[in-house]
């Protein structure tokens, strides 16, 4: 996703009414909102609570995805049994396959590069493996949730 200014722009793209509605929702004037947005005149950027409010208003998970990306993690949406369908499980399995492919690619690239795995490459492999494991657990739990005996 990139930087925090792009995060705000992405959130605004998902908010009907854009800047005007977002500013009003936070109790700010449009100029005060934009000062915070661009950190003009020594103003601070939006707080975590304000970002979460904008995320709720936008009906997205953009803030969560932004911070997850910064931490090398993946956001997985929790599903309610009533919302869950086999198609959702299929899409999760595709995502799990993709992430497992990322692990394999990281290992392959590290070894192919110079024949050894340095500490940075090892950390990248571990991080990708942790994400893959969490996604596999989520897929398993959602499969159980969808198909468990009442």
């Amino acid at each position: 996703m990139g930087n925090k200014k792009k995060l705000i722009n992405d959130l605004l793209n998902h908010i009907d009414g854009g800047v005007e509605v977002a500013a009003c929702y936070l109790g700010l004037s449009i100029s005060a909102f934009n000062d915070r947005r661009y950190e003009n005149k020594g103003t601070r950027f939006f707080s975590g609570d304000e970002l979460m409010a904008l995320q709720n208003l936008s009906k997205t998970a953009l803030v969560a995805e932004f911070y997850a990306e910064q931490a090398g993690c993946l956001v997985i949406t929790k599903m309610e049994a009533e919302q869950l369908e086999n198609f959702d499980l299929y899409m999760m399995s595709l995502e799990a396959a993709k992430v497992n492919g990322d692990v394999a690619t990281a290992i392959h690239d590290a070894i192919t590069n110079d024949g050894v795995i340095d500490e940075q490459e090892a950390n990248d492999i571990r991080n990708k493996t942790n994400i893959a494991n969490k996604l596999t657990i989520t897929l398993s739990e959602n499969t159980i949730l969808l198909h468990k005996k009442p």
Side-chain angles (χ1 to χ4, degrees):
M1 182 174 293
N3 64 42
K4 58 189 179 180
K5 290 179 180 94
K6 183 177 181 330
L7 169 63
I8 294 297
N9 290 335
D10 290 345
L11 286 166
L12 292 172
N13 287 335
H14 287 88
I15 296 172
D16 291 335
V19 175
E20 293 83 6
V21 171
C24 182
Y25 191 73
L26 296 179
L28 301 170
S29 68
I30 293 171
S31 62
F33 183 93
N34 284 328
D35 284 343
R36 304 266 298 278
R37 178 181 181 186
Y38 299 112
E39 298 177 284
N40 292 336
K41 304 174 190 170
T43 59
R44 63 174 174 79
F45 193 69
F46 300 96
S47 70
D49 288 341
E50 291 168 328
L51 290 173
M52 291 305 297
L54 292 174
Q55 176 177 272
N56 291 336
L57 183 61
S58 72
K59 298 181 177 86
T60 67
L62 291 170
V63 175
E65 291 168 358
F66 174 81
Y67 285 113
E69 184 178 305
Q70 300 297 313
C73 296
L74 177 70
V75 173
I76 303 167
T77 304
K78 288 183 178 180
M79 305 290 289
E80 299 295 325
E82 303 80 42
Q83 299 173 312
L84 203 55
E85 298 177 356
N86 281 320
F87 178 76
D88 299 312
L89 297 177
Y90 173 70
M91 293 305 292
M92 284 181 208
S93 70
L94 289 178
E95 186 65 28
K98 177 191 165 298
V99 174
N100 280 309
D102 292 344
V103 173
T105 299
I107 293 169
H108 175 269
D109 291 350
I111 294 172
T112 303
N113 189 25
D114 56 9
V116 296
I117 298 175
D118 64 29
E119 196 56 37
Q120 181 178 351
E121 292 166 329
N123 288 335
D124 183 48
I125 292 165
R126 287 183 189 106
N127 182 44
K128 287 177 177 10
T129 301
N130 286 334
I131 292 169
N133 289 340
K134 289 175 185 173
L135 195 52
T136 300
I137 290 167
T138 301
L139 175 60
S140 298
E141 288 299 321
N142 283 329
T143 302
I144 291 166
L145 180 63
L146 180 61
H147 295 285
K148 78 178 180 181
K149 191 174 184 176

